[in-house]
Amino acid sequence: MIKTLVMQDERARPLVVLMHGDRQVSTKNLARQLGCKSVEACSAEAAQRASGYQIGGASPFSFKRAGVPVYVQASVLDLPRIHINGGRRGYLVGIDAAVLTGPLGAIAVDCALPG
C-alpha cells in the first residue's frame, strides 16, 4: 500500500510524495534533497485545491493543478507491484511500480523514517 501525500515547500508550492503506507516522511531529509528550506504537509483545503480530490482520496495521476512535482520514496520502486489510491476514498488500484517513474514521471528520493 502506497499513500499519496500532498505537501508544500516554504513558498506554499504544492508537491506530492508517494510513501510506503507504514512509514512517515522525514520532511527535513526531503527538503534537503529538494533544495528547499522546509517541507510540510498542506492544510486539507490547500491539498484539495491543488489536487481536486477529497482528503483520503488523492491519486497522483491526475492532479487538478498542472505541474505539481511528484516524488517517490526510492524503496517503493524496488517493489514489483503496488496498490495506490485511484482517485476516491477506498478505491485502490494495483500497478507495476515502474509506472511511477515512467508515465507519471515521479522522481526518486530517500526520505522515509524507519517504520
Side-chain angles (χ1 to χ4, degrees):
M1 175 71 184
I2 304 303
K3 55 189 173 184
T4 303
L5 303 169
V6 183
M7 305 188 93
Q8 65 185 15
D9 66 13
E10 72 274 2
R11 294 183 183 170
R13 293 179 296 201
L15 58 104
V16 174
V17 179
L18 303 177
M19 180 58 70
H20 297 279
D22 63 347
R23 303 254 178 103
Q24 293 183 3
V25 173
S26 167
T27 56
K28 184 183 281 189
N29 287 344
L30 181 60
R32 193 174 302 127
Q33 290 177 59
L34 301 183
C36 300
K37 290 184 180 183
S38 66
V39 173
E40 64 184 6
C42 284
S43 68
E45 295 81 22
Q48 190 167 355
R49 198 170 38 251
S51 69
Y53 295 108
Q54 284 185 324
I55 299 304
S59 171
F61 292 101
S62 181
F63 257 53
K64 177 180 174 183
R65 190 170 178 181
V68 175
V70 179
Y71 301 94
V72 58
Q73 170 59 36
S75 55
V76 167
L77 301 174
D78 295 334
L79 302 171
R81 191 153 180 85
I82 61 169
H83 289 87
I84 194 164
N85 200 299
R88 66 177 186 266
R89 290 181 188 166
Y91 180 64
L92 300 176
V93 293
I95 60 171
D96 291 336
V99 170
L100 300 176
T101 55
L104 184 59
I107 300 164
V109 293
D110 188 14
C111 61
L113 290 173

